[in-house]
Amino acid sequence: MICPNCQYPNAREANFCTSCGSPLPKESSRPSASQPLAAGDDKRTVLNDIATRINRVAGIDTPVELNLREVFSNVTVKHTEEEAERLFAAGTSETTPDISTIADTWPKPWLFARVFLIVAVAYFGLYLGVSQFENINLLPGLITLGSFMVPLTILIFFWEMNAPQNISMYQVMKMLLVGGVLSMIAAIFIFESLADSGSAIIIGIVEEAAKVLVLLLFLKERKYPYVLNGLLIGAAVGTGFAAFESAGYAFQVLIHRDLHAMYSTIFWRGVLAPGGHIVWAALSGAALCMVKGDQAFEWAMLKDSRFLRIFAIVVILHAVWDLPWGSFADLPLAQIVLTVVSWIIAFAVMNVGLKQISRNKQQPAQAISPSDGVTM
């Protein structure tokens, strides 16, 4: 049982947290994946109906009714430095919990918000140094921090949502850096081999396929069998891709235009980052784990309709994103709508991942199977 105060994994039957001493909620009072967090008691809202329809298109037939206020309730709670340090210790061979103690309830992430504030303060300091004191030595740091600020925040969120807590921050950072660079190089190589690489659908196919190829390097073994693992690893690769790409765009704008245009590029790419490469790659990674389970990867798994359906949706989302939509009232409404759609699917996939944990906790002696809740 995960302590709601400090996130420490305790024994299922524990009444008090062995780390901070806080009382643990009773089993019956904790919403589980088999009893999703309800947005309403008796009737579904229009938004839930839309979400259900979107998830059915993605092949996910498990109903998801989220109370986002509950999921994000720990963001506004005061946390100590020691709590953050304990979280960063997760994922090692010594701290990974046993399957019997892994929580199958919705996590309540909060560290991602602290990381965002820290990076934002650092970015603002560099911004003052460049804009007020005209110190160009700070420009590389400004571009780097600005490009990583939101993607890194989203990655930490996915890391906190990884209920198995079996992937360390060291591994996540390695996947971000190595996976981000390799996926960009793979995409560039494929683009160079194509006669026509300018259409939105081609860009979507190439870049998402490049990320999947890199994901296979991390997911081909049996070490990461959970759907939530795939979601996190995909997010790590997508974070690297998104941040490096944003840094490149910001640098190009700085060279060809001016500082104000660079600031605008960093700002808007940060605002739109949650709905782009990170969540797309996360969905692809989760889809791979849906069909793989704890088995070693085989190329035939890519023919599984569960993977193909989600990957096709990811490609379509990417392609539609890149279309010349323009803006309405200076807002990129098309990208905002696509972001909402992507996250509806992402939360549905998280629900599938939690149900996978719940199912395997009941049968811990058996191999971790590919996830159900996804239609063939």
Side-chain angles (χ1 to χ4, degrees):
M1 181 184 298
I2 300 298
C3 174
N5 180 52
C6 69
Q7 307 300 311
Y8 185 81
N10 296 274
R12 189 178 186 87
E13 66 276 5
N15 293 318
F16 295 90
C17 178
T18 57
S19 176
C20 68
S22 299
L24 298 173
K26 299 297 182 183
E27 186 71 23
S28 59
S29 66
R30 295 182 296 134
S32 67
S34 59
Q35 296 177 325
L37 296 173
D41 292 333
D42 300 316
K43 55 185 179 180
R44 292 160 58 186
T45 64
V46 173
L47 181 60
N48 285 331
D49 186 57
I50 294 173
T52 299
R53 293 175 183 272
I54 291 173
N55 291 328
R56 284 176 179 169
V57 173
I60 301 171
D61 56 10
T62 304
V64 182
E65 295 182 354
L66 276 175
N67 184 337
L68 292 178
R69 180 179 297 179
E70 179 70 16
V71 172
F72 292 104
S73 60
N74 271 358
V75 171
T76 56
V77 175
K78 184 177 181 180
H79 296 277
T80 65
E81 294 289 321
E82 289 75 16
E83 290 178 79
E85 290 172 354
R86 278 198 295 269
L87 283 180
F88 278 117
T92 68
S93 58
E94 291 80 13
T95 58
T96 297
D98 183 78
I99 180 65
S100 62
T101 61
I102 295 176
D104 56 5
T105 57
W106 286 92
K108 295 182 179 180
W110 59 270
L111 185 63
F112 73 97
R114 304 299 191 274
V115 170
F116 174 77
L117 289 176
I118 292 170
V119 180
V121 169
Y123 174 80
F124 183 69
L126 293 176
Y127 170 80
L128 288 178
V130 173
S131 61
Q132 299 300 317
F133 300 102
E134 300 182 350
N135 190 328
I136 62 173
N137 290 332
L138 302 180
L139 275 173
L142 179 74
I143 293 174
T144 301
L145 278 185
S147 300
F148 272 91
M149 179 163 48
V150 176
L152 183 60
T153 298
I154 302 302
L155 177 59
I156 296 297
F157 171 79
F158 277 112
W159 184 64
E160 292 185 272
M161 296 301 287
N162 180 45
Q165 296 183 318
N166 61 335
I167 305 179
S168 68
M169 185 52 62
Y170 164 75
Q171 294 294 337
V172 170
M173 290 297 105
K174 182 174 71 173
M175 294 168 184
L176 183 161
L177 296 173
V178 176
V181 171
L182 287 180
S183 59
M184 293 199 76
I185 292 176
I188 292 171
F189 178 80
I190 298 173
F191 279 132
E192 291 293 327
S193 304
L194 297 176
D196 176 21
S197 59
S199 65
I201 188 64
I202 294 298
I203 293 174
I205 293 173
V206 169
E207 293 190 353
E208 298 312 316
K211 283 179 272 188
V212 166
L213 289 175
V214 173
L215 280 172
L216 294 178
L217 295 177
F218 301 120
L219 292 173
K220 64 180 181 179
E221 305 296 340
R222 300 181 177 183
K223 187 176 181 180
Y224 304 119
Y226 298 102
V227 171
L228 294 174
N229 292 166
L231 203 68
L232 171 58
I233 294 171
V237 173
T239 294
F241 194 104
F244 293 141
E245 185 180 63
S246 292
Y249 281 128
F251 183 65
Q252 286 189 52
V253 170
L254 175 63
I255 292 176
H256 298 293
R257 297 178 64 182
D258 53 35
L259 275 175
H260 293 293
M262 183 197 72
Y263 293 142
S264 178
T265 298
I266 291 174
F267 173 79
W268 281 111
R269 287 192 65 85
V271 168
L272 297 175
H277 292 293
I278 307 167
V279 69
W280 297 335
L283 292 175
S284 294
L288 285 171
C289 285
M290 283 180 185
V291 302
K292 188 178 76 70
D294 69 345
Q295 303 300 309
F297 172 76
E298 297 178 3
W299 287 103
M301 293 176 178
L302 295 181
K303 300 178 183 179
D304 192 300
S305 62
R306 291 170 295 178
F307 169 76
L308 290 175
R309 189 189 295 245
I310 291 181
F311 180 72
I313 289 175
V314 166
V315 170
I316 292 171
L317 287 169
H318 191 154
V320 175
W321 182 287
D322 286 344
L323 292 175
W325 290 101
S327 61
F328 178 78
D330 294 327
L331 292 175
L333 289 184
Q335 284 74 20
I336 293 173
V337 171
L338 291 170
T339 297
V340 172
V341 171
S342 296
W343 277 94
I344 287 174
I345 300 174
F347 276 112
V349 169
M350 291 178 199
N351 189 63
V352 171
L354 291 171
K355 288 180 71 67
Q356 179 194 32
I357 293 173
S358 178
R359 185 176 66 253
N360 284 284
K361 286 176 69 173
Q362 298 171 12
Q363 301 172 331
Q366 297 184 10
I368 296 175
S369 61
S371 178
D372 60 1
V374 180
T375 57
M376 295 295 289

